[in-house]
Amino acid sequence: MPHIALNNDLPGIVGLMSHRPDTAAPLNELADALLRAPSPLTRGERELIAAYVSERNETRFCADSHGAFAAAQLDGGRGLVQEVLGTPADRLHEAPVAPRLQALLRIAAEVRQQAKPVSGEAMTAARAVGVGDTEIHDTVLIAAAFSMYNRYVNCLDTSLPDQGDYYTESAQHFVRHGYSLTAAATVECTPCGCGS
């Protein structure tokens, strides 16, 4: 049971955002900018970074949501995502993704762990496989932002969805429409309660 009384029974961050649409709007706009705006990283890669950070932060709702969103947009789908999420930070060089994404996940893992400069080793490894400034910038910002989102969800002890297909159905919506609550509020989306 959440630590605060919500005006809905929606799970995870969806319940918190439905409860406080005033704070939800800028948080969703940030998610759209980070995960959907033009970037040298694909949407699937950015979702995978968000899911990886959430997995390391033990935020089940966010890891499963963004894992499903990544799976819907990456070759290899759910199997690939599960393998990556199960890879410890010190073994990311073994993750079943390209070296460029391995290096970015390593950077994300460091950002998630503590607020200090990313190690020279991680930066050198990223540069060695052709990672550019924009990719590094976006990865650091995704990892920092998702550490915040994860704390929002975990610290208020939000609930998990009851339906087993919740994440897969939510992925269909978010891949199509994005995160902004203003994306379209015309048809009730039963799985995620987002209103579109």
Side-chain angles (χ1 to χ4, degrees):
M1 174 174 253
H3 286 318
I4 61 172
L6 299 178
N7 60 5
N8 63 77
D9 58 359
L10 298 169
I13 201 166
V14 178
L16 297 173
M17 289 185 166
S18 293
H19 181 72
R20 288 292 305 269
D22 56 331
T23 55
L27 291 173
N28 278 311
E29 287 175 20
L30 177 60
D32 266 332
L34 294 175
L35 302 176
R36 296 179 56 83
S39 170
L41 297 170
T42 70
R43 289 179 178 178
E45 290 170 334
R46 288 177 278 169
E47 290 285 2
L48 186 60
I49 292 166
Y52 190 79
V53 168
S54 299
E55 182 72 25
R56 299 276 75 77
N57 281 330
E58 299 179 24
T59 309
R60 190 79 274 127
F61 182 85
C62 297
D64 290 349
S65 294
H66 293 281
F69 305 165
Q73 299 177 85
L74 290 172
D75 292 338
R78 186 171 176 80
L80 170 77
V81 170
Q82 287 178 328
E83 282 190 63
V84 170
L85 297 189
T87 304
D90 63 345
R91 298 182 68 181
L92 281 165
H93 61 281
E94 298 173 5
V97 292
R100 173 180 146 276
L101 191 50
Q102 290 172 348
L104 292 170
L105 288 165
R106 179 179 175 188
I107 289 171
E110 287 193 18
V111 171
R112 181 216 65 87
Q113 189 171 11
Q114 52 194 347
K116 69 176 199 175
V118 172
S119 70
E121 295 84 9
M123 294 302 290
T124 298
R127 297 293 191 193
V129 294
V131 174
D133 286 349
T134 303
E135 293 164 301
I136 291 169
H137 171 275
D138 291 358
T139 297
V140 168
L141 190 50
I142 291 167
F146 272 84
S147 291
M148 174 195 65
Y149 290 124
N150 296 160
R151 283 160 177 76
Y152 184 36
V153 170
N154 279 350
C155 294
L156 287 174
D157 197 24
T158 61
S159 63
L160 293 174
D162 294 330
Q163 309 122 281
D165 57 354
Y166 175 90
Y167 300 110
T168 303
E169 290 185 19
S170 294
Q172 293 172 13
H173 166 79
F174 285 104
V175 168
R176 232 179 10 254
H177 299 292
Y179 296 90
S180 178
L181 288 178
T182 60
T186 56
V187 179
E188 177 68 17
C189 179
T190 304
C192 63
C194 64
S196 66

